[in-house]
Amino acid sequence: QVHLVESGGGLVQAGGSLRLSCAVSGSAIFFRPNVLGWFRQAPGKQRELVATITRVGSTYYADSVKGRFTISRNNAENTLYLQMNSLKTDDTAVYYCTADSTTNQNPRYWGQGTQVTVSS
């Protein structure tokens, strides 16, 4: 089983920046998640896939964040990151890190979520 623990959420003003981190661990010493990603969920809004990254570094971004967010991973440290710049109030949501063998809308493993609130 894969365990994911997010950190780095908080309150930031519009136009500011925030970096989310996710510690990734597995049940076997040689286990390495192929695809890591970030989803977000805001009250009254659909769950949104924000970004994904494969083990070899291929990335995907939602149109709503492209050019502002950067997803990265440190495989040696088993850590996933989401650098969020030029934040907007619409970015306010609970952000979840995810893991699966492929890129999809329903990843197998989810973290507990971290709240990001962007004020105007």
Side-chain angles (χ1 to χ4, degrees):
Q1 190 174 10
V2 176
H3 300 276
L4 307 167
V5 181
E6 302 98 330
S7 62
L11 176 65
V12 64
Q13 285 189 306
S17 298
L18 204 62
R19 189 186 75 162
L20 305 183
S21 300
C22 177
V24 183
S25 61
S27 58
I29 189 170
F30 295 114
F31 178 84
R32 296 292 184 270
N34 186 47
V35 180
L36 299 175
W38 293 95
F39 281 74
R40 65 186 182 185
Q41 180 77 63
K45 301 178 69 175
Q46 295 181 5
R47 186 184 67 191
E48 180 182 21
L49 172 61
V50 177
T52 63
I53 185 168
T54 70
R55 288 180 61 188
V56 297
S58 298
T59 59
Y60 161 85
Y61 296 95
D63 289 342
S64 58
V65 306
K66 195 170 186 177
R68 299 187 298 119
F69 291 10
T70 302
I71 188 171
S72 61
R73 62 191 289 174
N74 187 320
N75 293 330
E77 297 180 354
N78 297 319
T79 306
L80 173 72
Y81 302 98
L82 184 68
Q83 179 65 48
M84 304 184 293
N85 298 326
S86 302
L87 283 163
K88 306 174 181 179
T89 55
D90 286 348
D91 295 319
T92 296
V94 177
Y95 284 71
Y96 300 89
C97 62
T98 64
D100 209 337
S101 59
T102 62
T103 300
N104 64 85
Q105 294 289 336
N106 295 281
R108 181 179 297 270
Y109 302 104
W110 294 70
Q112 83 288 348
T114 184
Q115 177 71 48
V116 172
T117 302
V118 183
S119 62
S120 61

